[in-house]
């Protein structure tokens, strides 16, 4: 799996309105990105994507949203409703996204 493509896809999608995530890969990236933006520790691996999303929301729902980018990523993540299992490879992708997120905005900036 090419990890950076998934993270870049989220960054590009965040430039548009009404765009949804299209895979569990992108959802795992989004969880890693949001955890880092909110200053949370590396998310715990759960068996399902729904459990991962629920755990993230327990930690961020009462906090102010730190950026427009974070708001868009939350909305895209919440719009993805297909259930899936979190494999070790997907969790590695989440860790990659967490470690590569710097600041509150995407690394990709359109010209």
């Amino acid at each position: 799996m090419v990890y950076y493509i998934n993270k870049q896809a989220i960054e590009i999608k965040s430039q548009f309105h009404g765009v949804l995530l299209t895979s569990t890969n992108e959802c795992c990236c989004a969880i890693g990105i949001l955890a880092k933006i909110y200053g949370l520790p590396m998310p715990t691996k759960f068996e399902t994507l729904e459990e991962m999303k629920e755990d993230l929301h327990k930690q961020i729902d009462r906090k102010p949203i730190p950026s427009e980018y974070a708001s868009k990523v939350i909305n895209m993540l919440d719009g993805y409703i297909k259930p899936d299992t979190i494999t070790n490879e997907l969790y590695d992708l989440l860790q990659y996204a967490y470690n590569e997120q710097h600041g509150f905005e995407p690394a990709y900036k359109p010209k």
Side-chain angles (χ1 to χ4, degrees):
M1 177 186 308
V2 182
Y3 293 152
Y4 74 88
I5 291 174
N6 292 284
K7 187 170 184 305
Q8 190 176 49
I10 293 169
E11 293 173 350
I12 292 168
K13 287 180 177 189
S14 73
Q15 302 301 312
F16 304 96
H17 295 285
V19 177
L20 300 176
L21 301 181
T22 56
S23 70
T24 305
N25 294 11
E26 290 178 352
C27 291
C28 286
C29 268
I31 291 169
I33 289 167
L34 290 168
K36 187 68 168 271
I37 287 174
Y38 275 89
L40 303 174
M42 181 71 68
T44 302
K45 181 179 184 269
F46 288 92
E47 291 297 315
T48 68
L49 177 60
E50 200 56 40
E51 291 171 311
M52 298 287 295
K53 288 168 57 174
E54 287 174 14
D55 186 59
L56 177 71
H57 272 291
K58 284 179 189 175
Q59 298 178 69
I60 69 172
D61 281 350
R62 290 184 186 24
K63 295 182 177 184
I65 299 174
S67 66
E68 183 180 349
Y69 176 58
S71 176
K72 289 180 178 184
V73 174
I74 291 167
N75 288 332
M76 289 189 292
L77 178 62
D78 289 347
Y80 189 86
I81 55 173
K82 182 180 172 189
D84 212 338
T85 302
I86 303 300
T87 63
N88 288 337
E89 185 176 36
L90 287 170
Y91 189 66
D92 289 346
L93 175 58
L94 183 152
Q95 291 175 313
Y96 169 83
Y98 180 91
N99 290 327
E100 292 298 314
Q101 179 61 39
H102 304 287
F104 299 120
E105 298 298 331
Y108 171 82
K109 301 281 187 186
K111 295 181 180 188

